[in-house]
Amino acid sequence: MDGLLLFIAGLIASSAVAMVVGISFALILPGIERKVQARIQQRVGPPILTPGWWSVLKFMYKSKVEPIAQMPAFYKSLVLIGIVIVSFLLLFVTPYWWSILGWGSILGIAGLLKLEEVLYVLMGSQSQSIMSSSMPVPDLAKGSKFIGIRREFNEQHSAERSLKMMAIGSIPLYLGLVVPFIAAGSGMLNAVVSLQNPDYIVSNWMAIPIPSKPLLFTIPGAMGAIVYFLGFVMLMNEKPFSILKAKIDVIEGGVLEYASSLRAAYYLMRNLLMFSLSSIFNTLFLGIPFDPFMPSMMLINMLLSLIPVVSMATLAAFSPILTFRQIYPAAMGISAFGVLAMILASSL
Amino acid sequence: MTLKSIARKNAVHVMLFYSGGCNGCDIEVVNAMLSPRYDLEQYKVMLTWNPREADVLLVPGVVTWQMLEPLKKIYAMIPDPKAVVAVGACAVNGNVYKNLVGDIGVNEEIFAPVETVIPVDVKIPGCPPRPEDIIMGAVKGLPKLMGAP
Amino acid sequence: MITFLRLMLTGAYRNIVRVLVKGDRATSMDLRNSVLNLSVPPTPTVLDEMCIGCSGCFHVCPTKAISMVKLNTPVIIIEGYVKDQVPRIDLMKCIFCLNCHDTCPIYSVFGEAAPIHARDVGMPHMILKEVLKKPVMAPPETIQALSKLIPPSSLSLIQREGVTKP
Amino acid sequence: MIQEKQTEKKVIEKELSFGPVHPALVEPYRMRFFVNDEIVEDCEININMAYRGIEKLFEGLPVEKALLIAERVCGICSNVHAWNSVRVIEGGLGIEVPQRANYIRVLVHEFQRITSHLFFFGHAFEVLGHETFAMRSFLLRENFMDLLQYVGGNRVMPSVPIIGGIRPRADLNESLKKVITERVDAFESKYKDYLNRAVEDPLVMSRLSGIGYLTKEDALKFYATGPTGRSSGWNYDLRREMKEYKPFDYDVIVLNEGDTKARVVSRALEVLESLKIIRQIVKGLPEGPVVNRSWVAKKMDYTVSYVETYRGELMHSYGLDQGGFIRNYKIRTPTITNLAAMEQACIGDHVTEAILTIASCDPCLTCCTRTEVIANGKSRIMSDAEIIQRFGWRK
Ligand code: SF4
Ligand code: SF4
Ligand code: SF4
Ligand code: SF4
Ligand code: SF4
Ligand code: SF4
Ligand code: SF4
């Protein structure tokens, strides 16, 4: 009985610490991302805290407005659901959750990611921004031959694209995700970490257990990491895979109508997702989990999570948006690479 | 300073609205944003294309009949507090389009200055203003945002 | 492909330098400082040295954007003619029609760069005395039109010194 | 347009519309794409959102003022509008222009061609989603914005030409010539680096090539002038006929591919030709006066003047009445003839690529819009009577 109470108290405490640290850190990431890009673009760029922290705070202080959406209440709830999903994603990397109902497993992570993707589709089909076909300009009287055709909102178009991205674009992430589990021969995060970092499981909270054989430095692990990284870029909708919120046609896609505190929530969701995915990367490929009760692990995990973020920023600075003409072959190539990594991993 | 005004000072999102000027001001605004030499972002000002995200609306140019409704709508879409910056002589006083009109007397095709359509907080003169003037204008819009409830 | 790889490598090096030590940054730091100090200098619109203070521009401006300000110390241009005022443009009212520029006698009579330009008047490359010695090159209609805008003293200054064109 | 398309009985699923306020557009216009899945089956570009009544503004103005309004037709081509506006009266009344003035006019024109093309790259890369290259284009463009500022006093509206020559403000002195030479040299090496880098980038090239085909027949049919037509193999450049360009030696870039890549490449190469012209001007600038002031405005018949601008062929025309006041000013600008070609070229592509194709034709429509037939807000065609009732001053 006591053991259970202690466990629950630990769970709550670790979750609280994880959330506070995770959110504070996640909101610094966009600033770093932007700063790196700015430096590449030979300019000064915004201060580190501006794109994350200050923007979110500022949006919180803006007056409430009702979004224009098919079902405003549902649309508003979507972003909150998103935050919950992403928070769980982050919590799943903290060891306390690994023993609950098997959530700290590949299935838990993959399931949440899938939910996250579905959110974009739902958002897109809900939002009806003024920026698309409801812009008040007299354009129907231009004598078009196509009178009475269905006029689609850009967001809906973006939702269709997210469906396509779900079908093809998200495969690499899952393949990359699976590789470490295959290597560990288990579906549980616990096994993946202990395979790479046996010291970690047995050491106390002050220790600094260095992973003895990180997967990243094996061939299948490295391949899996690359695939995972590209999948990460796809899920973050960053360039070059940002077709579903390609600024030049659908502007921001489904999230167009989020204003004031909802926009703050959207920023939070995106940045927390970015951090969670990088944190998962470190857990899976380096064996360094985000453990609130082991400060060394937590710090190393946070520092290392800059690597995927900075790489993504660099990649985004140097690539155009790809259209499906390029995404299909690219995603298939990457997936094939991922499958190869899986096969190699199984022989590990 | 409250946290509110510090946050507002440290993150400003501007939206550019092409209202129908000659393009000169529009491109100078784009220059101020995109040219690394001016780099608007270093002043904590970020470009957006979504009125829901914006704090400051930049209106360069006279407002034409067709852009009147979109301008009013987009202005209404921006959540409070918001500021409007009139960029260039066109937006400030109608420029030659309003004032140098030969035989026709009054040009009824355009709405100028922008003040006649939506409330304007900062005016930047010049035809076109230099990017540095535009940046200064955007910075001058800050106190209004910061002071708002 | 080879060239691409070479570009990739040199580019990677250049960009790492850029990211880590702000290499070849293009942002103008002077500008940054002056923006942060709220001290961006305005464009020069009037060249006081080249102006004869005739107030032609003041009268011709369609939006009353020009005001003539008294000089603290009046300047003697040539004996018998003292310049005691120069124009100032209020850019908030200006519509950049360049009427002022086109009317200014320095431009319209002598064909030199006028000392007033609503956008940017530039650097003087003439001395006012020299200009006034040049023969008058404007057609009589221009002088006629000018006489309605500027006081007789200024007009006589122009015609006394210059030689009216046949 | 595209009458034949109708007979094919295409089933079109839906319409996507963008603009007039949209990140892909640098001025107000509206693009309507009629798509199946994501493939564009037909396209309609709605212009006239920037209608300011410019042609009517000229009516009754003294002719010296024409160039100042003409310059305000557009902020990218500002100089060429002012230039062409004075060319009309110079042609109509036979006003002699000193050679030095002609040289400087061409110089400023070529400066603006380069800034316009670099703006085009900036815009095209922005549409491509490549922010870094867009910023580099804008950075390179600054060189020539500075030069325009030095010459004319403003980065965008240099107000250089006047009837009979150029403003003395814009005359070149030795030190300015030196600055120009230095800047042009520095620019050239940087620009070549930038081009190499862009051409070698497989991602960028995979986005550009293979889309937006415009055949030579279509280019001729829709009268796509300028680089848009020239990159479809139509060897037509008005500069060959302009006497101002006689002294200079340069190549006209003609490409045969006709796709989006060709349109980008042809402009990239044109910049290098412009540099050649600029060097020749600075080297061979004749001495002499910069303006011929011995002309009087008098009655002039309706006169037309054509100039090759950065996007194609530009026409200005007007007549003068007895008092020397402007009557019947008409402008026909390059983009208006390129519009139909744009609409044609983007058919059959993915929506994102169609927008790129349109951007690759370098649309800029502030100058195209003069005839408004739709009442604001209401989507209906107004009758003539209504127009007159509403805008009584038209008659
Ligand atoms: S102020 Fe001048 S540059 Fe700006 S839009 Fe108006 S005419 Fe164009
Ligand atoms: S340019 Fe400005 S100051 Fe000069 S006359 Fe015109 S409105 Fe007046
Ligand atoms: S018209 Fe020329 S000379 Fe006369 S006051 Fe104006 S600027 Fe000075
Ligand atoms: S056809 Fe168009 S461009 Fe030609 S005169 Fe008429 S309105 Fe002007
Ligand atoms: S084509 Fe027209 S709108 Fe485009 S830059 Fe030239 S004048 Fe301006
Ligand atoms: S034909 Fe005339 S009214 Fe119709 S789109 Fe062309 S310019 Fe506009
Ligand atoms: S006929 Fe119509 S479009 Fe043509 S000049 Fe008259 S009012 Fe303008």
Side-chain angles (χ1 to χ4, degrees):
Chain A
M1 195 56 215
D2 263 5
L4 184 62
L5 271 182
L6 204 63
F7 176 76
I8 290 178
L11 182 69
I12 291 173
S14 93
S15 309
V17 175
M19 284 317 290
V20 170
V21 175
I23 288 178
S24 339
F25 188 65
L27 287 183
I28 297 174
L29 294 181
I32 293 173
E33 196 188 352
R34 202 66 195 141
K35 196 80 179 174
V36 169
Q37 286 177 356
R39 290 267 173 88
I40 288 173
Q41 288 153 353
Q42 295 170 259
R43 60 201 178 93
V44 177
I48 301 266
L49 290 183
T50 290
W53 266 111
W54 294 125
S55 299
V56 168
L57 271 178
K58 178 196 73 178
F59 286 127
M60 303 260 245
Y61 283 123
K62 295 207 94 174
S63 62
K64 296 249 173 319
V65 286
E66 196 66 1
I68 310 175
Q70 267 178 353
M71 291 179 272
F74 177 53
Y75 181 66
K76 282 196 282 193
S77 68
L78 283 174
V79 63
L80 302 174
I81 298 174
I83 291 194
V84 174
I85 294 175
V86 180
S87 314
F88 273 107
L89 205 56
L90 180 64
L91 293 180
F92 282 1
V93 211
T94 62
Y96 253 95
W97 285 77
W98 291 354
S99 46
I100 303 177
L101 298 177
W103 278 354
S105 69
I106 169 95
L107 287 179
I109 296 175
L112 286 179
L113 286 178
K114 209 74 211 170
L115 273 180
E116 180 69 29
E117 282 181 84
V118 174
L119 278 186
Y120 282 108
V121 182
L122 292 177
M123 283 175 185
S125 56
Q126 284 294 315
S127 164
Q128 299 189 327
S129 168
I130 172 129
M131 295 299 284
S132 50
S133 56
S134 54
M135 180 76 78
V137 283
D139 61 347
L140 282 178
K142 290 294 278 191
S144 161
K145 302 185 292 294
F146 308 101
I147 293 170
I149 260 190
R150 184 161 63 89
R151 312 190 77 198
E152 215 181 48
F153 280 90
N154 294 348
E155 295 95 311
Q156 287 163 6
H157 194 65
S158 162
E160 280 161 35
R161 285 182 183 172
S162 16
L163 273 177
K164 285 188 196 163
M165 280 305 273
M166 263 173 82
I168 172 121
S170 59
I171 297 174
L173 184 70
Y174 298 108
L175 290 176
L177 204 57
V178 165
V179 169
F181 290 97
I182 291 184
S186 157
M188 305 305 289
L189 269 170
N190 211 344
V192 175
V193 174
S194 54
L195 168 79
Q196 307 177 51
N197 198 349
D199 294 348
Y200 164 73
I201 303 291
V202 292
S203 46
N204 69 350
W205 71 278
M206 300 253 307
I208 308 180
I210 300 298
S212 52
K213 35 181 183 176
L215 254 178
L216 186 61
F217 302 128
T218 63
I219 292 175
M223 285 166 71
I226 293 174
V227 175
Y228 179 92
F229 171 70
L230 291 170
F232 165 61
V233 177
M234 285 185 189
L235 195 76
M236 288 305 303
N237 300 319
E238 260 300 343
K239 279 181 278 182
F241 303 109
S242 61
I243 184 94
L244 70 95
K245 46 176 214 175
K247 195 172 102 190
I248 41 106
D249 47 11
V250 295
I251 312 183
E252 286 180 14
V255 302
L256 259 174
E257 270 300 305
Y258 289 125
S260 41
S261 48
L262 288 173
R263 183 150 284 272
Y266 163 66
Y267 269 51
L268 193 62
M269 176 186 111
R270 182 186 180 275
N271 297 324
L272 207 52
L273 178 65
M274 181 151 71
F275 176 58
S276 306
L277 287 174
S278 332
S279 190
I280 291 176
F281 178 87
N282 294 333
T283 313
L284 291 182
F285 290 95
L286 288 167
I288 302 175
F290 184 68
D291 184 348
F293 287 166
M294 198 185 269
S296 59
M297 282 290 103
M298 192 163 79
L299 274 178
I300 299 176
N301 181 296
M302 274 157 58
L303 281 183
L304 288 177
S305 66
L306 286 179
I307 294 175
V309 172
V310 170
S311 322
M312 185 172 79
T314 317
L315 182 67
F318 281 112
S319 41
I321 293 172
L322 298 182
T323 61
F324 285 112
R325 194 157 60 101
Q326 291 99 18
I327 289 179
Y328 282 138
M332 278 191 271
I334 300 167
S335 308
F337 196 65
V339 172
L340 190 64
M342 274 165 62
I343 295 169
L344 287 177
S346 62
S347 65
L348 218 67
Chain B
M1 266 206 286
T2 55
L3 186 61
K4 190 195 274 185
S5 60
I6 297 176
R8 282 179 183 162
K9 183 182 157 206
N10 275 303
V12 183
H13 283 84
V14 298
M15 177 174 177
L16 176 56
F17 182 94
Y18 302 116
S19 59
C22 84
N23 235 341
C25 286
D26 310 287
I27 287 166
E28 288 299 80
V29 173
V30 172
N31 240 324
M33 311 240 179
L34 281 184
S35 167
R37 173 149 150 212
Y38 298 106
D39 184 25
L40 201 47
E41 273 190 355
Q42 65 180 313
Y43 308 108
K44 303 153 192 159
V45 179
M46 284 155 287
L47 176 63
T48 174
W49 284 99
N50 180 2
R52 293 304 199 181
E53 198 178 9
D55 307 306
V56 175
L57 187 66
L58 295 178
V59 187
V62 293
V63 185
T64 59
W65 276 101
Q66 302 223 18
M67 296 310 284
L68 183 64
E69 280 306 309
L71 177 58
K72 286 182 180 164
K73 267 279 178 23
I74 283 184
Y75 178 70
M77 286 291 128
I78 301 179
D80 287 321
K82 53 192 166 189
V84 176
V85 179
V87 181
C90 280
V92 170
N93 58 24
N95 210 344
V96 288
Y97 309 119
K98 194 79 186 169
N99 293 298
L100 202 68
V101 281
D103 275 359
I104 62 172
V106 163
N107 186 354
E108 294 187 18
E109 298 293 352
I110 52 165
F111 294 86
V114 173
E115 257 174 323
T116 55
V117 184
I118 51 173
V120 169
D121 301 294
V122 181
K123 294 176 183 174
I124 307 173
C127 177
R130 298 164 300 167
E132 48 262 48
D133 299 337
I134 296 172
I135 294 171
M136 285 291 287
V139 171
K140 278 188 200 141
L142 274 179
K144 180 191 179 200
L145 291 177
M146 283 164 64
Chain C
M1 195 61 202
I2 303 285
T3 32
F4 176 65
L5 280 178
R6 194 173 45 94
L7 276 171
M8 276 269 284
L9 289 177
T10 51
Y13 169 70
R14 281 226 300 263
N15 285 306
I16 288 171
V17 172
R18 276 179 191 149
V19 172
L20 296 180
V21 298
K22 312 174 189 171
D24 59 17
R25 178 161 64 193
T27 310
S28 153
M29 283 295 136
D30 296 346
L31 189 64
R32 179 184 159 92
N33 292 335
S34 50
V35 167
L36 293 178
N37 300 332
L38 298 181
S39 61
V40 174
T43 44
T45 49
V46 178
L47 275 177
D48 290 353
E49 313 88 275
M50 287 287 289
C51 170
I52 59 169
C54 69
S55 71
C57 49
F58 167 73
H59 289 295
V60 83
C61 177
T63 56
K64 301 269 167 288
I66 297 183
S67 51
M68 302 298 293
V69 298
K70 289 270 176 262
L71 284 174
N72 287 337
T73 44
V75 182
I76 301 168
I77 296 176
I78 41 177
E79 66 280 19
Y81 188 86
V82 180
K83 164 172 83 173
D84 60 350
Q85 53 176 8
V86 285
R88 287 288 173 264
I89 303 182
D90 175 4
L91 289 183
M92 282 291 178
K93 290 190 196 151
C94 177
I95 58 167
F96 301 86
C97 60
L98 298 194
N99 274 2
C100 48
H101 176 99
D102 292 353
T103 310
C104 177
I106 307 296
Y107 168 79
S108 65
V109 176
F110 298 104
E112 289 298 329
I116 188 165
H117 192 299
R119 291 208 175 91
D120 182 343
V121 69
M123 300 290 272
H125 31 65
M126 273 296 219
I127 298 162
L128 185 52
K129 267 192 188 147
E130 313 272 286
V131 173
L132 291 177
K133 281 190 198 126
K134 276 179 56 169
V136 169
M137 297 200 319
E141 295 85 30
T142 307
I143 309 273
Q144 190 86 49
L146 261 182
S147 66
K148 298 201 185 83
L149 297 169
I150 66 181
S153 60
S154 304
L155 197 66
S156 66
L157 170 78
I158 290 160
Q159 283 180 326
R160 182 184 58 186
E161 283 299 311
V163 188
T164 316
K165 213 183 61 171
Chain D
M1 62 151 230
I2 325 167
Q3 292 302 320
E4 320 87 85
K5 275 264 168 306
Q6 247 174 329
T7 53
E8 285 169 30
K9 275 256 169 292
K10 279 247 166 66
V11 188
I12 290 188
E13 244 180 38
K14 63 189 181 191
E15 177 197 328
L16 282 172
S17 32
F18 305 104
V21 188
H22 193 275
L25 317 179
V26 283
E27 60 219 280
Y29 61 99
R30 192 163 175 85
M31 296 184 284
R32 300 172 72 196
F33 293 110
F34 302 95
V35 298
N36 272 337
D37 190 14
E38 296 216 47
I39 303 302
V40 176
E41 300 288 357
D42 198 359
C43 160
E44 190 181 289
I45 298 178
N46 276 347
I47 56 169
N48 96 11
M49 281 156 201
Y51 176 67
R52 289 157 290 168
I54 289 240
E55 282 173 342
K56 274 306 264 188
L57 289 182
F58 290 100
E59 204 72 14
L61 278 185
V63 65
E64 310 89 76
K65 291 289 144 209
L67 61 115
L68 281 163
I69 294 195
E71 195 173 30
R72 254 60 154 254
V73 167
C74 173
I76 308 180
C77 287
S78 55
N79 178 63
V80 73
H81 281 284
W83 183 18
N84 207 8
S85 139
V86 301
R87 271 184 112 231
V88 175
I89 178 171
E90 281 162 6
L93 296 182
I95 300 167
E96 199 63 48
V97 181
Q99 194 63 354
R100 187 178 172 90
N102 269 337
Y103 268 57
I104 295 177
R105 285 177 179 186
V106 173
L107 178 76
V108 177
H109 187 54
E110 294 303 322
F111 280 172
Q112 268 205 346
R113 183 188 308 278
I114 295 175
T115 60
S116 166
H117 282 355
L118 283 168
F119 179 75
F120 161 79
F121 295 139
H123 178 51
F125 277 124
E126 191 63 13
V127 169
L128 215 59
H130 205 313
E131 211 186 33
T132 307
F133 276 1
M135 290 193 175
R136 296 213 173 137
S137 319
F138 277 103
L139 186 58
L140 285 171
R141 185 170 180 262
E142 286 299 318
N143 287 304
F144 285 91
M145 297 307 275
D146 279 351
L147 290 180
L148 280 171
Q149 157 96 45
Y150 298 155
V151 173
N154 191 279
R155 294 156 50 89
V156 172
M157 306 265 171
S159 309
V160 168
I162 50 173
I163 299 169
I166 58 158
R167 266 179 217 285
R169 162 81 180 76
D171 195 5
L172 292 192
N173 52 26
E174 285 308 315
S175 60
L176 194 50
K177 275 198 220 165
K178 216 170 112 234
V179 172
I180 294 176
T181 325
E182 280 164 8
R183 287 290 178 101
V184 166
D185 291 344
F187 170 81
E188 191 170 13
S189 68
K190 278 202 206 123
Y191 178 69
K192 282 184 173 156
D193 276 357
Y194 157 92
L195 276 191
N196 275 340
R197 174 69 183 77
V199 168
E200 285 296 332
D201 193 322
L203 284 180
V204 170
M205 283 301 131
S206 79
R207 274 299 305 277
L208 287 178
S209 45
I211 56 165
Y213 284 104
L214 181 71
T215 58
K216 186 173 178 184
E217 288 69 49
D218 279 344
L220 282 165
K221 183 166 123 205
F222 299 123
Y223 205 71
T225 53
T228 310
R230 285 201 288 274
S231 46
S232 290
W234 183 22
N235 191 349
Y236 174 78
D237 189 331
L238 261 179
R239 284 187 286 179
R240 291 204 192 99
E241 268 99 70
M242 288 166 63
K243 64 176 187 312
E244 289 89 342
Y245 274 91
K246 284 275 137 61
F248 308 118
D249 178 29
Y250 59 95
D251 295 329
V252 173
I253 309 290
V254 182
L255 300 175
N256 291 318
E257 290 84 351
D259 64 348
T260 298
K261 187 174 161 188
R263 286 190 285 274
V264 176
V265 169
S266 72
R267 285 186 172 85
L269 297 178
E270 273 188 10
V271 170
L272 294 173
E273 297 304 317
S274 294
L275 292 179
K276 268 194 213 165
I277 299 180
I278 292 172
R279 288 215 172 91
Q280 293 169 44
I281 292 172
V282 175
K283 218 160 126 217
L285 186 68
E287 291 302 321
V290 290
V291 57
N292 163 19
R293 290 147 58 88
S294 60
W295 58 272
V296 255
K298 52 177 188 275
K299 185 165 166 39
M300 180 180 86
D301 283 343
Y302 191 72
T303 315
V304 184
S305 160
Y306 293 91
V307 166
E308 176 80 20
T309 83
Y310 331 125
R311 290 162 178 80
E313 180 188 290
L314 168 72
M315 181 218 56
H316 273 238
S317 59
Y318 52 83
L320 296 181
D321 63 12
Q322 273 85 358
F325 295 109
I326 295 169
R327 295 293 164 211
N328 223 353
Y329 207 111
K330 293 288 171 206
I331 305 173
R332 198 209 55 226
T333 50
T335 310
I336 204 142
T337 59
N338 290 346
L339 269 178
M342 287 177 211
E343 290 181 345
Q344 175 66 36
C346 66
I347 288 173
D349 291 333
H350 186 278
V351 180
T352 315
E353 285 171 341
I355 295 180
L356 178 62
T357 301
I358 290 178
S360 79
C361 297
D362 211 357
C364 47
L365 308 155
T366 55
C367 62
C368 302
T369 47
R370 276 148 280 117
T371 312
E372 188 182 71
V373 282
I374 306 166
N376 178 64
K378 303 260 166 46
S379 304
R380 68 199 169 88
I381 296 177
M382 288 171 92
S383 68
D384 273 357
E386 273 175 326
I387 293 174
I388 291 161
Q389 220 173 24
R390 188 157 190 178
F391 311 110
W393 47 264
R394 277 176 192 269
K395 291 282 152 171

